[in-house]
Amino acid sequence: MAGVPSDLEREQIFSMAEKEMEYRVEMFNKLTHTCFKKCVENKYKDSELNMGENSCIDRCVSKYWQVTNLVGTLLGNTRPIPVNDAAP
Amino acid sequence: MAGVPSDLEREQIFSMAEKEMEYRVEMFNKLTHTCFKKCVENKYKDSELNMGENSCIDRCVSKYWQVTNLVGTLLGNTRPIPVNDAAP
Amino acid sequence: MAGVPSDLEREQIFSMAEKEMEYRVEMFNKLTHTCFKKCVENKYKDSELNMGENSCIDRCVSKYWQVTNLVGTLLGNTRPIPVNDAAP
Amino acid sequence: MDKSMIGDLDSLPEADKLRMAAMIEQLQVRDSLRMYNSLVERCFTDCVDSFKRKTLDKQEETCVRRCAEKFLKHSMRVGLRFAELNQGAPTPD
Amino acid sequence: MDKSMIGDLDSLPEADKLRMAAMIEQLQVRDSLRMYNSLVERCFTDCVDSFKRKTLDKQEETCVRRCAEKFLKHSMRVGLRFAELNQGAPTPD
Amino acid sequence: MDKSMIGDLDSLPEADKLRMAAMIEQLQVRDSLRMYNSLVERCFTDCVDSFKRKTLDKQEETCVRRCAEKFLKHSMRVGLRFAELNQGAPTPD
């Protein structure tokens, strides 16, 4: 890959970057909807998130992230998941 | 924006039009599936929609539309929703 | 269509091929998720599929295929579904 | 896909109209294939629950037929109402 | 869409940066429209269950408002946590 | 994504074959990323229900592992059956 990349290589780089971003957006959306269902009471008696909901959301995001990493490892996946690891 | 639009501007107009159409198609599909679940009995004893189902569908579409507008207002949204307002 | 296809025709062929593949991938994904829900116990006491699950999966795929063909016929559809018919 | 989902194209120059029309056609093809897939998934989920045989029995087949027909009628009705709302027409009560 | 979802662009040449930025903007527009659609679907499903009238009653409207507001707050919070994880920061316990 | 989902390319001229192959590869990458996302969502939904801590406990982790392995095996089996049906082969009873 040293030297100037060819047009084809550049196209591939762009295309991969696009797929990766789509992937992350989709992951973020699935996480958001899943944690909303798991943590937020759906009678909507209030328009504020209460303390219990807030801490549930934080933990839900953290666990979802761990599941993503765990499944990634099982799939022999080194790529789509971010460079930095999740907090322990 | 007066005068002849540049190529870039035209690309952006097309791209926005495409996103907006995708948005409307997705909205139509979600509405259709949601109202089917809410209004149509799922034992399928018949292949016709009965009178109760038909009026449920009409009201469901109308209410879905209102929810779309309501949420749009909350989001400070003036755009994706059609120029004409829904019936009161 | 005899003779050399024009650029426009070729674009249309590509575009149709792309849509068809997207359609098949989506069908495969929906089938996979639907049959997983119908056939695989979700307590995950084991990481192997047992015999009952395996034969359920085979039949589920077969029936899903038939439903696809049946609905295709109702829609007056001759195209998106593969040239070869499903096993009887 | 409903006509009313398509914005006003009259103000565009001719070449852009063609391009816009091609884009709309693309979206319509994709949309109808997606609709087909969702319809199959819904009717399968609602109608097929036994996996003792690998072929649909008569009852399941009837269920799928009715489901698909109902869904199509439903979808057309929704399309009509949706178009009215898009045009700001009052709806039946 | 969260900033942290966007990779490191600094190493790219100028023209590519512009193109990448345009792509990101496209995805953001699409994403925000999808989010809008999902939000409407969720709040409608949770809040509207009676179809005796064609207009929302007061209670349904309140429910939809709260649902949308809660969802937005939720979504922002998730975005913050998500960004922290993307950067490897420790999270609140 | 299963090979049988790809139509017959032999009749195409060389340049078009390359382009078609590139398109297929694109779809495969997107598809495998989507599959990954769905798998995570499903196993998370089925296995994680307590939010008293911010880390997975042993039981949840085991559940997620099994869920993912089962899903992959399931997915491969579906792929095989799907390929047979695409080729019109008879299926096991």
Side-chain angles (χ1 to χ4, degrees):
Chain A
M1 273 286 201
V4 182
S6 72
D7 280 2
L8 188 62
E9 282 168 349
R10 285 159 59 120
E11 282 312 309
Q12 285 176 336
I13 291 167
F14 269 107
S15 159
M16 283 302 160
E18 192 174 13
K19 297 280 172 304
E20 177 132 354
M21 276 184 234
E22 282 179 8
Y23 158 76
R24 286 179 185 228
V25 170
E26 198 185 304
M27 177 189 161
F28 180 78
N29 290 343
K30 280 187 185 296
L31 188 166
T32 304
H33 285 280
T34 304
C35 291
F36 193 78
K37 270 185 281 179
K38 296 258 186 196
C39 292
V40 181
E41 64 84 24
N42 66 353
K43 296 293 166 223
Y44 309 113
K45 289 171 195 156
D46 194 356
S47 64
E48 297 299 319
L49 297 168
N50 62 42
M51 236 183 58
E53 287 169 335
N54 272 331
S55 69
C56 178
I57 292 165
D58 293 346
R59 290 163 188 166
C60 184
V61 174
S62 169
K63 284 188 163 189
Y64 197 95
W65 186 264
Q66 285 170 68
V67 170
T68 305
N69 284 313
L70 180 54
V71 171
T73 315
L74 292 174
L75 293 177
N77 209 340
T78 56
R79 220 186 42 71
I81 274 303
V83 239
N84 310 307
D85 276 295
Chain B
M1 271 282 203
V4 182
S6 71
D7 279 3
L8 187 63
E9 282 169 348
R10 286 158 60 120
E11 282 313 308
Q12 285 177 335
I13 291 167
F14 268 105
S15 160
M16 282 301 160
E18 193 174 12
K19 296 283 170 302
E20 176 132 355
M21 276 184 231
E22 282 179 9
Y23 158 75
R24 285 176 185 231
V25 169
E26 198 184 304
M27 177 188 161
F28 181 77
N29 290 343
K30 280 187 184 293
L31 187 166
T32 303
H33 285 280
T34 304
C35 290
F36 194 79
K37 271 185 281 179
K38 295 260 187 196
C39 292
V40 180
E41 63 86 23
N42 67 353
K43 297 294 166 221
Y44 308 113
K45 290 172 192 155
D46 194 355
S47 63
E48 298 298 320
L49 297 169
N50 62 42
M51 235 181 60
E53 288 169 334
N54 272 330
S55 69
C56 179
I57 293 164
D58 293 347
R59 289 163 189 167
C60 184
V61 175
S62 169
K63 284 189 164 188
Y64 198 95
W65 187 264
Q66 286 170 66
V67 171
T68 305
N69 284 314
L70 181 53
V71 172
T73 314
L74 292 175
L75 292 178
N77 209 341
T78 55
R79 219 185 43 70
I81 276 303
V83 239
N84 310 306
D85 276 296
Chain C
M1 274 282 202
V4 182
S6 71
D7 278 2
L8 187 63
E9 282 168 349
R10 285 159 60 121
E11 282 312 308
Q12 285 176 335
I13 291 168
F14 269 106
S15 160
M16 283 303 160
E18 193 173 12
K19 297 279 172 305
E20 177 132 356
M21 276 183 233
E22 282 179 7
Y23 158 75
R24 286 178 185 229
V25 170
E26 196 185 304
M27 176 189 163
F28 180 78
N29 290 343
K30 281 187 184 295
L31 188 166
T32 303
H33 285 278
T34 304
C35 291
F36 193 79
K37 271 185 282 179
K38 296 257 187 198
C39 292
V40 180
E41 65 85 24
N42 66 355
K43 297 292 165 223
Y44 310 113
K45 290 172 193 156
D46 194 355
S47 64
E48 297 300 319
L49 296 168
N50 63 42
M51 238 183 56
E53 287 169 333
N54 272 329
S55 69
C56 178
I57 292 165
D58 293 348
R59 289 163 188 164
C60 184
V61 175
S62 170
K63 284 189 164 187
Y64 198 96
W65 187 264
Q66 285 170 66
V67 170
T68 305
N69 285 312
L70 181 53
V71 172
T73 314
L74 292 175
L75 293 178
N77 208 340
T78 55
R79 220 184 43 71
I81 274 303
V83 237
N84 311 305
D85 276 295
Chain D
M1 194 163 85
D2 185 74
K3 277 273 175 56
S4 61
M5 270 174 276
I6 299 154
D8 181 31
L9 300 183
D10 294 342
S11 57
L12 288 174
E14 208 51 44
D16 286 357
K17 269 187 209 165
L18 282 175
R19 195 177 144 197
M20 196 66 94
M23 180 178 82
I24 289 166
E25 208 200 303
Q26 293 286 314
L27 283 175
Q28 281 176 325
V29 171
R30 183 189 288 170
D31 183 53
S32 67
L33 291 176
R34 281 198 185 151
M35 201 273 277
Y36 181 21
N37 263 327
S38 309
L39 179 47
V40 168
E41 189 188 25
R42 162 149 307 282
C43 296
F44 181 87
T45 299
D46 285 351
C47 294
V48 183
D49 260 321
S50 150
F51 299 98
K52 293 185 184 155
R53 298 174 60 229
K54 70 164 182 169
T55 48
L56 295 175
D57 63 32
K58 209 64 212 153
Q59 199 185 325
E60 289 167 332
E61 201 184 307
T62 305
C63 180
V64 169
R65 274 181 202 283
R66 286 177 181 164
C67 170
E69 285 173 25
K70 270 196 144 170
F71 187 87
L72 291 175
K73 284 166 193 162
H74 166 74
S75 181
M76 268 183 293
R77 190 167 187 107
V78 170
L80 288 174
R81 292 299 159 256
F82 194 78
E84 288 168 5
L85 289 170
N86 254 306
Q87 287 148 24
T91 49
D93 211 31
Chain E
M1 196 164 82
D2 184 72
K3 276 270 174 60
S4 62
M5 270 175 276
I6 299 153
D8 180 33
L9 300 182
D10 294 342
S11 58
L12 287 174
E14 208 53 42
D16 287 358
K17 268 186 212 166
L18 280 174
R19 195 175 142 197
M20 197 67 92
M23 180 178 82
I24 289 166
E25 206 200 303
Q26 293 286 312
L27 283 174
Q28 282 176 325
V29 172
R30 183 190 287 170
D31 183 51
S32 67
L33 291 176
R34 282 198 185 149
M35 200 274 276
Y36 180 20
N37 263 325
S38 309
L39 179 48
V40 169
E41 189 188 24
R42 162 149 307 283
C43 296
F44 181 87
T45 299
D46 285 351
C47 293
V48 183
D49 260 320
S50 151
F51 298 97
K52 292 183 185 156
R53 298 174 60 227
K54 70 165 183 168
T55 48
L56 294 175
D57 63 32
K58 210 63 210 153
Q59 198 184 329
E60 289 167 332
E61 201 183 308
T62 306
C63 180
V64 169
R65 273 179 202 283
R66 287 176 180 166
C67 170
E69 284 172 26
K70 268 196 145 171
F71 188 86
L72 291 175
K73 284 165 193 163
H74 166 75
S75 183
M76 268 183 292
R77 190 168 187 105
V78 170
L80 288 175
R81 293 299 159 256
F82 194 77
E84 288 168 3
L85 288 170
N86 255 307
Q87 287 149 23
T91 48
D93 209 31
Chain F
M1 195 163 85
D2 185 72
K3 275 270 173 59
S4 61
M5 268 174 276
I6 299 153
D8 180 34
L9 301 182
D10 294 343
S11 57
L12 287 174
E14 208 53 42
D16 287 356
K17 268 186 211 167
L18 281 175
R19 196 177 142 196
M20 196 67 91
M23 180 178 81
I24 290 166
E25 207 199 302
Q26 293 286 313
L27 283 174
Q28 282 176 325
V29 172
R30 183 189 290 170
D31 184 51
S32 67
L33 291 176
R34 282 197 185 151
M35 200 273 276
Y36 180 21
N37 264 326
S38 310
L39 180 47
V40 169
E41 188 188 23
R42 163 150 304 283
C43 296
F44 181 87
T45 300
D46 286 351
C47 294
V48 183
D49 260 321
S50 150
F51 298 98
K52 292 183 186 156
R53 297 174 60 228
K54 71 165 182 168
T55 48
L56 294 175
D57 63 32
K58 211 62 211 154
Q59 199 185 326
E60 288 166 332
E61 199 183 308
T62 307
C63 180
V64 168
R65 274 180 202 282
R66 286 176 180 164
C67 170
E69 284 173 27
K70 270 196 145 170
F71 188 87
L72 291 175
K73 284 166 192 162
H74 165 75
S75 182
M76 268 183 292
R77 192 169 186 105
V78 170
L80 288 174
R81 293 300 159 255
F82 195 78
E84 287 168 6
L85 289 168
N86 255 306
Q87 289 150 22
T91 48
D93 211 28

